């Protein structure tokens, strides 16, 4: 195999691999990235211009649907792969990857059936391409794209918009800078009216990418010829025009094979008084070689840009593979190690949230600095220490024996009952810290990139963390309530010892019993109790946060996953594998990414090898 055949064959294989991997034209007919960087040949012409016959002549096989009007209703991406002499010919469709067609009449039927599958048995068109590969020793390595024939008028059964739809579809291929345009025009029509030449001139005004092909030379009126076109006088292109003589309808009806048709074509040009001097540069075989030679020169010129694109794509794919993560080992020890590493990655991010490396931990401080003080201020002590309620509580505490000097039992009952109000804010603070911690767990799991692959492990990790946080909350609840109960169980003596002195300082030391049962007396009791409650409130405002941090935040940092580690350590291989059960969509994405990476690396190595062989 020559260097040229190797280079074009390599491009063909890369395009084929891109097609298999989905790196090919989408529903809009666009061809992305690597495919776009590789040149291909688009066959353009009006309806009944002889496009199908030209393709069959290049392939040397009768395999395309025929008929009147619009026959090609979907783009056909045809990849020709040259094989060794003596090997059999066969065809493969992308949508039937495991089936080989050696009977090319079945290829024709499959093209028709696959077209009908999307468009129905109507005259509608679809931009979704059919991908066909033909392997034969009688072809040159080439990628040809057969496009629907251009038309000027919609026929019965077609919408009026079909004229523009076909042109837009064809244009989406031929306007790409790496597309070589094979413009098919019938010789028995004026070249000035050629749809293919008109479109080619619009997208390739310099003619550098356009090859003109003149068909139906044998059907021209007697006494006329197409020399003005073939010799470039009527319309000049950068590349020479090529004349083609297709099989006649009678030959097609008689199933004259392509080898015989090629021989007849050669005889026609060799014996024609008009074209014999151009015979060496006419015919379908010469056209195939001309396209192949040009394709080789285009590929060589673009090797640096193709290699650059491939290297850039490799970098992007390797980065994506790192993001997606590498495949998981199958042995239990490696799986356990992976799980523990993932847990550590999550735990690190969780601690960063608490310690200030990431946002969120400040919300816990907000609970202590804003929510708790606000809740303490809202406690209904004004209503509880109203004159009427103080009288009621003191009287009930005295029982049948009214107090003689200071109502100690009344004070105790007023204070103990008031202190019970602190239980609500204390528990609410614990709950608020709990919800912040839960939210930080959720955020940390979402921010642990390594965990995104494993939804089952994410769920198990979240459940274990929430369960641990619930235990920490219960312990914190008990602790803060114990702080409140401690204040109730032992009142500060110094505070009460100062009360008589404060009474005497009030300026009435000689008659303390005179106003013992007046509103002023009970007002002083309410004021004293309020002062004591205020003192306790300040104490709890400082001690409740300490208890919550000690029982919840500190424990979350120290032992959030301790129980989970114990449980995981007891699991067997199958159970560990279930924890590392990845999202099927992500597994498929990694598989496709891996295949593309392998393709691009192989393409780079082969292109470099072939380019060095020049």
């Amino acid at each position: 195999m020559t260097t040229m055949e190797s280079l074009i064959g390599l491009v063909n294989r890369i395009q084929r691999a891109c097609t298999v991997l989905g790196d090919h034209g989408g529903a809009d007919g666009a061809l992305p990235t690597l495919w776009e960087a590789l040149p291909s040949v688009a066959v353009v012409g009006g309806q009944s211009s002889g496009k199908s016959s030209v393709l069959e002549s290049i392939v040397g096989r009768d395999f395309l649907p025929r008929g009147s009007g619009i026959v090609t209703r979907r783009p056909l991406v045809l990849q020709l792969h040259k094989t060794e002499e003596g090997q059999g010919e066969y065809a493969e469709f992308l949508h039937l990857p495991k089936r080989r067609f050696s009977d090319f009449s079945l290829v024709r039927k499959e093209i028709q059936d696959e077209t009908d599958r999307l468009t129905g048995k109507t005259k509608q068109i679809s931009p979704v391409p059919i991908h066909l590969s033909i392997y034969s020793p009688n072809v040159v390595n080439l990628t040809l794209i057969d496009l629907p024939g251009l038309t000027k008028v919609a026929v019965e059964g077609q919408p009026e918009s079909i004229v523009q739809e076909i042109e837009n579809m064809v244009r989406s291929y031929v306007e790409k800078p790496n597309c070589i345009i094979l413009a098919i025009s019938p010789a028995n029509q004026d070249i000035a009216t050629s749809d293919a030449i008109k479109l080619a001139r619009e997208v390739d005004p310099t003619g550098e990418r356009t090859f003109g092909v003149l068909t139906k030379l044998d059907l021209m009126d007697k006494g006329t010829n197409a020399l003005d076109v073939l010799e470039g006088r009527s319309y000049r292109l950068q590349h020479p025009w090529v004349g083609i003589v297709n099989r006649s309808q009678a030959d097609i009806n008689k199933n004259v094979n392509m080898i015989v048709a090629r021989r007849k074509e050669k005889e026609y040009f060799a014996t024609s008084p008009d074209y014999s001097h151009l015979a060496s540069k006419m015919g379908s075989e010469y056209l195939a070689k001309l396209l192949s030679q040009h394709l080789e020169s285009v590929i060589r010129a673009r090797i640096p840009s193709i290699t650059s694109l491939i290297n850039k794509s490799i970098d992007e794919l390797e980065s994506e593979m790192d993001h997606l993560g590498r495949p998981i080992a199958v042995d239990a020890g490696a799986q356990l190690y992976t799980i523990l590493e993932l847990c550590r990655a999550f735990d690190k991010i969780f601690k960063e949230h608490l310690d200030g490396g990431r946002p969120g931990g400040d919300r816990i401080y907000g609970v202590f600095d804003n929510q708790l003080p606000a809740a303490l201020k809202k406690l209904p002590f004004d209503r509880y220490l109203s004159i009427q309620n103080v009288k009621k509580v003191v009287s009930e505490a005295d029982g049948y024996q009214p107090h003689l000097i200071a109502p100690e039992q009344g004070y105790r009952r007023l204070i103990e009952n008031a202190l019970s109000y602190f239980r609500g804010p204390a528990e609410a603070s614990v709950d608020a810290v709990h919800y912040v911690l839960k939210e930080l767990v959720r955020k940390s799991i979402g921010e642990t990139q390594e965990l995104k692959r494993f939804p089952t492990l994410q769920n198990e990790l979240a459940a274990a963390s929430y369960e641990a946080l619930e235990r920490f909350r219960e312990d914190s609840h008990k602790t803060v309530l114990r702080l409140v109960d401690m204040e109730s169980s032992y009142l500060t003596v110094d505070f009460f010892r100062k009360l008589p002195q404060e009474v005497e300082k009030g300026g009435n030391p000689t008659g303390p019993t005179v106003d013992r049962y007046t509103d002023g007396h009970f007002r002083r009791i309410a004021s004293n109790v309020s002062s004591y409650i205020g003192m306790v409130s300040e104490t709890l405002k400082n001690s409740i946060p300490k208890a919550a941090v000690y029982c919840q935040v500190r424990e979350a940092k120290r032992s959030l996953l301790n129980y989970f580690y114990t449980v995981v350590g007891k699991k067997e291989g199958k159970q560990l594998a279930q924890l590392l059960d990845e999202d099927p969509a992500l597994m498929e994405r990694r598989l496709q990414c891996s295949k593309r990476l392998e393709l691009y690396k192989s393409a780079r190595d082969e292109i470099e090898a072939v380019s060095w062989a020049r």
Side-chain angles (χ1 to χ4, degrees), residues 420-434:
S420 66
Y421 284 105
F422 287 116
R423 297 173 70 92
E427 290 184 301
S429 297
V430 169
D431 291 339
V433 171
H434 176 74

Side-chain angles (χ1 to χ4, degrees), residues 387 390-391 394-395 398 401-408 411 503 508-526:
I387 300 301
V390 170
K391 284 182 180 180
V394 170
S395 298
D398 283 345
Q401 178 68 58
H403 61 275
L404 301 177
I405 304 176
E408 179 176 339
Y411 270 111
V503 171
N508 190 21
T510 59
T513 60
V514 176
D515 60 351
R516 188 168 300 166
Y517 298 104
T518 66
D519 286 352
H521 173 65
F522 290 109
R523 190 175 291 110
R524 280 194 297 274
I525 293 174

Side-chain angles (χ1 to χ4, degrees), residues 127-177:
V128 180
I130 297 172
H131 292 268
L132 172 65
S133 291
I134 294 179
Y135 300 82
S136 169
N138 303 318
V139 299
V140 294
N141 288 311
L142 208 56
T143 295
L144 298 160
I145 305 172
D146 185 21
L147 297 166
L150 297 163
T151 184
K152 293 184 175 66
V153 180
V155 299
E156 185 177 351
Q158 294 177 332
E160 290 297 326
S161 61
I162 197 167
V163 176
Q164 191 62 46
E165 288 175 8
I166 293 175
E167 181 178 334
N168 291 343
M169 184 195 305
V170 174
R171 190 181 293 273
S172 71
Y173 284 86
V174 300
E175 67 186 1
K176 299 183 187 302

Side-chain angles (χ1 to χ4, degrees), residues 227-241:
L227 286 176
D228 284 347
V229 177
L230 293 175
E231 293 178 346
R233 290 189 292 274
S234 292
Y235 185 79
R236 180 175 294 277
L237 295 170
Q238 296 284 345
H239 306 287
W241 283 81

Side-chain angles (χ1 to χ4, degrees), residues 135 169 205 219 327 347 383 396 404 569:
Y135 300 82
M169 184 195 305
L219 300 181
D347 198 44
R383 184 174 68 251
E396 290 175 352
L404 301 177

Side-chain angles (χ1 to χ4, degrees), residues 527-595:
S527 176
N528 291 335
V529 171
S530 178
S531 297
Y532 187 84
I533 294 301
M535 180 188 72
V536 173
S537 178
E538 288 298 315
T539 301
L540 292 177
K541 189 165 68 174
N542 293 321
S543 59
I544 288 173
K546 292 178 181 180
V549 168
Y550 184 86
C551 296
Q552 292 172 273
V553 180
R554 175 175 169 273
E555 284 303 307
K557 290 174 64 177
R558 289 180 56 189
S559 59
L560 181 66
L561 296 178
N562 280 7
Y563 182 71
F564 183 69
Y565 290 148
T566 303
V567 173
V568 168
K570 297 177 182 178
K571 289 184 180 290
E572 298 178 354
K574 187 176 180 181
Q575 295 171 312
L576 293 173
Q578 289 174 346
L579 285 178
L580 296 175
D581 183 21
E582 295 184 82
D583 182 350
L586 190 143
M587 293 175 66
E588 177 62 24
R589 184 178 165 194
R590 186 197 298 111
L591 178 63
Q592 291 301 318
C593 184
S594 176
K595 287 181 177 179

